Amino acid sequence: MGIEKGKFVTLEGCEGSGKSTQIEKLKKYLSDCGKEFLFTREPGGTRISEDIRRIILNVDYENMTDETEALLYAAARAQLIGEKILPALDRGEIVLCDRYIDSSFAYQAYARSLGYDFVRQINEVAFTRCMPDLTLFFDISPDEAFQRKGGADADDRLEQSGTEFHRRVYEGYLMLCRKFPERIVRIDARKTPDEVFALVKDVLTERKIIG
Ligand code: TYD
């Protein structure tokens, strides 16, 4: 009998989509069920990747080029994959990651106009060796999300990028949903947190991640 590989689930959405609330609920639910899982986030999740995160999100680095930004996200990701994600999957665990390669497609390829091919190329490690089994996209437009949240965080360079940018990020995600219809599942994030979580559990059960 072979060793069963774990399952890799990523969570995506625009700023203020309620992703963090759902992640907390999901972590609690999995712990209560006694499931072994690794939770991690991007950019970050390892010492090296967290250091890279500080550079990327530093509001003083206004002059960072779009290419540099994309490469730094890819570097943080490559480290996280090698150090944490692949070993956990080999141990048969569920890996939950708050943002992953689709954020690079939505933010860097689409909203920053670097193009899909460039971002795919610099993320070759992820694309060929470590693609998610399932991606939950918390679907709410940035206009509705910012209204609900009451504005952008002042200490986050990416959140300060303006309404038009975030509209483009959202369009990027919708494009990704069309490009990867099997992998990416849209969750209606305009509902109440409990209703959204019921949808999350349904999808995870249906995809045999839990249950
Ligand atoms: P974070 O505070 O973790 O945002 P959130 O709580 O919305 O997940 O900051 C991460 C920021 O980095 C967020 O604005 C999305 C952006 N990002 C990219 O632009 N490209 C990427 O590949 C990733 C992983 C994140």
Short mmCIF file of all heavy atoms in Angstrom, two decimals, residues 12-16 19-20 41-43 53 56-57 69 73-74 77 98-105 107-108 112 153 156 158-159 165-166, ligand 1:
data_model
loop_
_atom_site.label_atom_id
_atom_site.label_comp_id
_atom_site.label_asym_id
_atom_site.label_seq_id
_atom_site.Cartn_x
_atom_site.Cartn_y
_atom_site.Cartn_z
N GLU A 12 -8.19 32.24 -1.35
CA GLU A 12 -7.90 33.46 -2.10
C GLU A 12 -9.08 34.42 -2.05
O GLU A 12 -10.22 34.01 -1.82
CB GLU A 12 -7.66 33.10 -3.59
CG GLU A 12 -6.45 32.22 -3.84
CD GLU A 12 -5.13 32.99 -3.87
OE1 GLU A 12 -5.15 34.24 -3.78
OE2 GLU A 12 -4.07 32.34 -3.96
N GLY A 13 -8.77 35.67 -2.29
CA GLY A 13 -9.83 36.67 -2.36
C GLY A 13 -9.24 38.06 -2.30
O GLY A 13 -8.07 38.25 -2.00
N CYS A 14 -10.08 39.04 -2.57
CA CYS A 14 -9.64 40.43 -2.50
C CYS A 14 -9.50 40.84 -1.04
O CYS A 14 -9.98 40.14 -0.14
CB CYS A 14 -10.67 41.34 -3.17
SG CYS A 14 -10.74 41.10 -4.95
N GLU A 15 -8.89 41.98 -0.84
CA GLU A 15 -8.79 42.58 0.50
C GLU A 15 -10.19 42.69 1.11
O GLU A 15 -11.12 43.13 0.44
CB GLU A 15 -8.25 44.00 0.34
CG GLU A 15 -6.83 44.24 0.75
CD GLU A 15 -5.75 43.47 0.01
OE1 GLU A 15 -5.80 43.26 -1.19
OE2 GLU A 15 -4.81 43.08 0.70
N GLY A 16 -10.33 42.24 2.37
CA GLY A 16 -11.62 42.40 3.05
C GLY A 16 -12.69 41.42 2.62
O GLY A 16 -13.89 41.65 2.82
N LYS A 19 -11.79 36.36 4.22
CA LYS A 19 -10.92 35.18 4.17
C LYS A 19 -10.36 34.83 5.55
O LYS A 19 -10.39 33.66 5.95
CB LYS A 19 -9.80 35.53 3.17
CG LYS A 19 -8.83 34.48 2.83
CD LYS A 19 -8.03 34.89 1.59
CE LYS A 19 -7.31 36.21 1.66
NZ LYS A 19 -6.17 36.28 2.56
N SER A 20 -9.88 35.83 6.28
CA SER A 20 -9.24 35.56 7.58
C SER A 20 -10.24 34.97 8.58
O SER A 20 -9.91 34.04 9.32
CB SER A 20 -8.67 36.83 8.18
OG SER A 20 -7.83 37.44 7.25
N ARG A 41 0.81 30.92 5.47
CA ARG A 41 0.31 32.07 4.74
C ARG A 41 1.37 32.60 3.78
O ARG A 41 2.56 32.35 3.94
CB ARG A 41 -0.07 33.20 5.69
CG ARG A 41 1.16 33.83 6.33
CD ARG A 41 0.85 35.20 6.86
NE ARG A 41 2.01 35.80 7.50
CZ ARG A 41 2.00 36.96 8.13
NH1 ARG A 41 0.87 37.62 8.22
NH2 ARG A 41 3.08 37.46 8.68
N GLU A 42 0.90 33.35 2.80
CA GLU A 42 1.80 33.98 1.85
C GLU A 42 1.55 35.48 1.78
O GLU A 42 0.39 35.89 1.86
CB GLU A 42 1.59 33.40 0.46
CG GLU A 42 2.24 32.08 0.26
CD GLU A 42 2.70 31.95 -1.18
OE1 GLU A 42 2.31 32.77 -2.03
OE2 GLU A 42 3.46 31.06 -1.45
N PRO A 43 2.56 36.30 1.55
CA PRO A 43 3.95 35.86 1.60
C PRO A 43 4.35 35.64 3.04
O PRO A 43 3.95 36.38 3.92
CB PRO A 43 4.71 37.05 1.00
CG PRO A 43 3.82 38.24 1.25
CD PRO A 43 2.42 37.73 1.22
N ARG A 53 8.65 39.01 3.08
CA ARG A 53 7.35 39.68 3.25
C ARG A 53 7.53 41.12 3.75
O ARG A 53 6.89 42.04 3.28
CB ARG A 53 6.50 38.89 4.25
CG ARG A 53 5.16 39.55 4.58
CD ARG A 53 4.45 38.83 5.73
NE ARG A 53 3.25 39.54 6.07
CZ ARG A 53 2.06 39.28 5.56
NH1 ARG A 53 1.90 38.32 4.69
NH2 ARG A 53 1.01 39.99 5.91
N ILE A 56 8.54 43.25 0.88
CA ILE A 56 7.47 43.48 -0.10
C ILE A 56 6.44 44.49 0.42
O ILE A 56 6.00 45.36 -0.32
CB ILE A 56 6.72 42.15 -0.42
CG1 ILE A 56 7.64 41.10 -1.03
CG2 ILE A 56 5.56 42.43 -1.37
CD1 ILE A 56 6.97 39.73 -1.20
N LEU A 57 6.06 44.35 1.68
CA LEU A 57 4.94 45.17 2.18
C LEU A 57 5.38 46.51 2.78
O LEU A 57 4.55 47.32 3.18
CB LEU A 57 4.12 44.38 3.22
CG LEU A 57 3.47 43.07 2.72
CD1 LEU A 57 2.66 42.42 3.82
CD2 LEU A 57 2.58 43.30 1.50
N GLU A 69 8.71 43.07 -7.36
CA GLU A 69 7.64 42.61 -6.47
C GLU A 69 7.24 41.16 -6.81
O GLU A 69 7.17 40.30 -5.92
CB GLU A 69 6.43 43.55 -6.64
CG GLU A 69 5.25 43.19 -5.75
CD GLU A 69 4.06 44.09 -6.05
OE1 GLU A 69 4.06 45.24 -5.61
OE2 GLU A 69 3.12 43.63 -6.74
N TYR A 73 7.69 37.75 -4.41
CA TYR A 73 6.60 36.83 -4.04
C TYR A 73 6.97 35.40 -4.45
O TYR A 73 6.73 34.45 -3.71
CB TYR A 73 5.28 37.22 -4.72
CG TYR A 73 4.54 38.33 -4.04
CD1 TYR A 73 4.33 39.55 -4.67
CD2 TYR A 73 4.01 38.17 -2.77
CE1 TYR A 73 3.63 40.58 -4.06
CE2 TYR A 73 3.30 39.19 -2.14
CZ TYR A 73 3.11 40.39 -2.79
OH TYR A 73 2.43 41.41 -2.17
N ALA A 74 7.55 35.28 -5.66
CA ALA A 74 7.92 33.95 -6.15
C ALA A 74 9.02 33.33 -5.28
O ALA A 74 9.01 32.13 -5.00
CB ALA A 74 8.36 34.03 -7.61
N ARG A 77 7.63 32.17 -2.03
CA ARG A 77 6.83 30.95 -2.30
C ARG A 77 7.74 29.74 -2.48
O ARG A 77 7.44 28.66 -1.93
CB ARG A 77 6.00 31.20 -3.57
CG ARG A 77 5.13 30.03 -4.00
CD ARG A 77 4.11 30.50 -5.03
NE ARG A 77 3.30 31.57 -4.49
CZ ARG A 77 3.11 32.76 -5.10
NH1 ARG A 77 3.61 33.00 -6.28
NH2 ARG A 77 2.39 33.68 -4.51
N ASP A 98 -3.04 30.54 3.18
CA ASP A 98 -3.72 31.82 3.00
C ASP A 98 -3.00 32.57 1.88
O ASP A 98 -1.92 33.10 2.10
CB ASP A 98 -3.64 32.58 4.34
CG ASP A 98 -4.31 33.93 4.30
OD1 ASP A 98 -4.84 34.30 3.24
OD2 ASP A 98 -4.31 34.60 5.34
N ARG A 99 -3.58 32.55 0.69
CA ARG A 99 -3.01 33.07 -0.56
C ARG A 99 -1.90 32.16 -1.08
O ARG A 99 -1.16 31.55 -0.31
CB ARG A 99 -2.44 34.49 -0.41
CG ARG A 99 -3.47 35.54 -0.04
CD ARG A 99 -2.91 36.94 -0.27
NE ARG A 99 -3.89 37.96 0.07
CZ ARG A 99 -4.89 38.32 -0.73
NH1 ARG A 99 -5.02 37.74 -1.89
NH2 ARG A 99 -5.75 39.24 -0.36
N TYR A 100 -1.80 32.13 -2.42
CA TYR A 100 -0.75 31.32 -3.06
C TYR A 100 -0.60 31.84 -4.48
O TYR A 100 -0.81 33.05 -4.72
CB TYR A 100 -1.15 29.82 -2.99
CG TYR A 100 -0.08 28.84 -3.36
CD1 TYR A 100 1.09 28.73 -2.64
CD2 TYR A 100 -0.25 28.00 -4.47
CE1 TYR A 100 2.08 27.82 -2.99
CE2 TYR A 100 0.73 27.09 -4.82
CZ TYR A 100 1.89 27.00 -4.08
OH TYR A 100 2.87 26.09 -4.43
N ILE A 101 -0.29 30.96 -5.42
CA ILE A 101 0.07 31.42 -6.77
C ILE A 101 -1.02 32.25 -7.45
O ILE A 101 -0.73 33.16 -8.23
CB ILE A 101 0.48 30.21 -7.64
CG1 ILE A 101 1.19 30.69 -8.90
CG2 ILE A 101 -0.70 29.30 -7.94
CD1 ILE A 101 1.88 29.58 -9.67
N ASP A 102 -2.30 31.98 -7.13
CA ASP A 102 -3.37 32.76 -7.78
C ASP A 102 -3.31 34.23 -7.39
O ASP A 102 -3.73 35.09 -8.17
CB ASP A 102 -4.74 32.16 -7.46
CG ASP A 102 -4.87 30.76 -8.02
OD1 ASP A 102 -4.72 30.61 -9.24
OD2 ASP A 102 -5.07 29.82 -7.22
N SER A 103 -2.79 34.53 -6.19
CA SER A 103 -2.60 35.94 -5.82
C SER A 103 -1.60 36.58 -6.76
O SER A 103 -1.76 37.73 -7.17
CB SER A 103 -2.10 36.07 -4.37
OG SER A 103 -3.14 35.81 -3.45
N SER A 104 -0.53 35.84 -7.11
CA SER A 104 0.45 36.39 -8.05
C SER A 104 -0.17 36.59 -9.43
O SER A 104 0.15 37.57 -10.12
CB SER A 104 1.67 35.48 -8.16
OG SER A 104 2.49 35.62 -7.02
N PHE A 105 -1.05 35.67 -9.83
CA PHE A 105 -1.71 35.85 -11.13
C PHE A 105 -2.66 37.06 -11.09
O PHE A 105 -2.69 37.88 -12.00
CB PHE A 105 -2.48 34.59 -11.54
CG PHE A 105 -1.59 33.46 -12.00
CD1 PHE A 105 -1.81 32.15 -11.56
CD2 PHE A 105 -0.54 33.69 -12.89
CE1 PHE A 105 -0.99 31.11 -11.99
CE2 PHE A 105 0.27 32.65 -13.32
CZ PHE A 105 0.04 31.36 -12.87
N TYR A 107 -2.80 39.66 -8.80
CA TYR A 107 -2.19 40.96 -8.46
C TYR A 107 -1.08 41.35 -9.43
O TYR A 107 -1.05 42.47 -9.92
CB TYR A 107 -1.62 40.93 -7.03
CG TYR A 107 -2.64 41.02 -5.93
CD1 TYR A 107 -3.43 39.91 -5.60
CD2 TYR A 107 -2.82 42.18 -5.18
CE1 TYR A 107 -4.35 39.96 -4.56
CE2 TYR A 107 -3.75 42.24 -4.15
CZ TYR A 107 -4.51 41.14 -3.84
OH TYR A 107 -5.43 41.19 -2.83
N GLN A 108 -0.13 40.42 -9.67
CA GLN A 108 1.03 40.81 -10.47
C GLN A 108 0.78 40.62 -11.98
O GLN A 108 1.04 41.54 -12.76
CB GLN A 108 2.29 40.03 -10.04
CG GLN A 108 2.96 40.56 -8.79
CD GLN A 108 2.16 40.32 -7.52
OE1 GLN A 108 1.71 39.21 -7.28
NE2 GLN A 108 1.97 41.35 -6.71
N ARG A 112 -1.12 44.27 -12.16
CA ARG A 112 0.10 45.02 -12.47
C ARG A 112 0.52 44.87 -13.94
O ARG A 112 1.60 45.32 -14.33
CB ARG A 112 1.28 44.53 -11.62
CG ARG A 112 1.12 44.69 -10.12
CD ARG A 112 1.70 46.01 -9.65
NE ARG A 112 1.89 46.01 -8.22
CZ ARG A 112 1.33 46.90 -7.40
NH1 ARG A 112 0.53 47.85 -7.87
NH2 ARG A 112 1.56 46.86 -6.11
N ASP A 153 -5.95 49.43 5.05
CA ASP A 153 -4.95 49.57 6.11
C ASP A 153 -3.84 50.52 5.68
O ASP A 153 -3.26 50.36 4.60
CB ASP A 153 -4.29 48.20 6.43
CG ASP A 153 -5.26 47.26 7.13
OD1 ASP A 153 -6.33 47.74 7.56
OD2 ASP A 153 -4.94 46.06 7.26
N ASP A 156 -0.03 49.01 5.00
CA ASP A 156 0.15 47.91 4.06
C ASP A 156 0.25 48.51 2.66
O ASP A 156 -0.71 49.07 2.13
CB ASP A 156 -1.04 46.95 4.19
CG ASP A 156 -0.91 45.72 3.31
OD1 ASP A 156 -0.42 45.87 2.17
OD2 ASP A 156 -1.30 44.64 3.75
N LEU A 158 0.38 47.23 -0.28
CA LEU A 158 -0.51 46.69 -1.30
C LEU A 158 -1.94 47.21 -1.12
O LEU A 158 -2.63 47.50 -2.08
CB LEU A 158 -0.49 45.15 -1.27
CG LEU A 158 0.51 44.45 -2.18
CD1 LEU A 158 0.06 44.59 -3.62
CD2 LEU A 158 1.92 44.95 -2.07
N GLU A 159 -2.38 47.32 0.14
CA GLU A 159 -3.75 47.79 0.38
C GLU A 159 -3.92 49.25 0.00
O GLU A 159 -5.02 49.72 -0.27
CB GLU A 159 -4.16 47.60 1.86
CG GLU A 159 -4.49 46.16 2.18
CD GLU A 159 -5.52 45.99 3.29
OE1 GLU A 159 -6.23 46.97 3.61
OE2 GLU A 159 -5.60 44.89 3.83
N PHE A 165 -6.94 49.62 -8.83
CA PHE A 165 -6.06 48.45 -8.75
C PHE A 165 -6.83 47.24 -8.20
O PHE A 165 -6.77 46.14 -8.76
CB PHE A 165 -4.86 48.78 -7.86
CG PHE A 165 -3.94 47.60 -7.62
CD1 PHE A 165 -3.05 47.21 -8.61
CD2 PHE A 165 -3.96 46.90 -6.42
CE1 PHE A 165 -2.20 46.13 -8.41
CE2 PHE A 165 -3.12 45.82 -6.21
CZ PHE A 165 -2.24 45.43 -7.21
N HIS A 166 -7.58 47.47 -7.13
CA HIS A 166 -8.29 46.34 -6.51
C HIS A 166 -9.43 45.82 -7.39
O HIS A 166 -9.73 44.63 -7.37
CB HIS A 166 -8.75 46.71 -5.11
CG HIS A 166 -7.59 46.85 -4.17
ND1 HIS A 166 -6.88 45.77 -3.71
CD2 HIS A 166 -6.97 47.95 -3.68
CE1 HIS A 166 -5.87 46.20 -2.97
NE2 HIS A 166 -5.90 47.52 -2.93
P1 TYD B 1 -1.75 40.42 3.82
O1 TYD B 1 -1.75 41.45 4.89
O2 TYD B 1 -1.34 39.03 4.16
O3 TYD B 1 -3.14 40.46 3.07
P2 TYD B 1 -4.48 39.64 3.24
O4 TYD B 1 -4.84 39.70 4.68
O5 TYD B 1 -5.40 40.38 2.33
O6 TYD B 1 -4.19 38.24 2.76
O7 TYD B 1 -0.85 40.98 2.66
C1 TYD B 1 -0.54 40.28 1.55
C2 TYD B 1 -0.65 41.21 0.36
O8 TYD B 1 0.14 40.70 -0.70
C3 TYD B 1 -2.07 41.30 -0.17
O9 TYD B 1 -2.35 42.64 -0.54
C4 TYD B 1 -2.04 40.47 -1.44
C5 TYD B 1 -0.63 40.59 -1.89
N1 TYD B 1 -0.09 39.46 -2.66
C6 TYD B 1 0.31 39.66 -3.98
O10 TYD B 1 0.19 40.77 -4.52
N2 TYD B 1 0.85 38.62 -4.68
C7 TYD B 1 1.05 37.39 -4.12
O11 TYD B 1 1.55 36.46 -4.78
C8 TYD B 1 0.63 37.19 -2.75
C9 TYD B 1 0.81 35.87 -2.10
C10 TYD B 1 0.07 38.25 -2.06
#
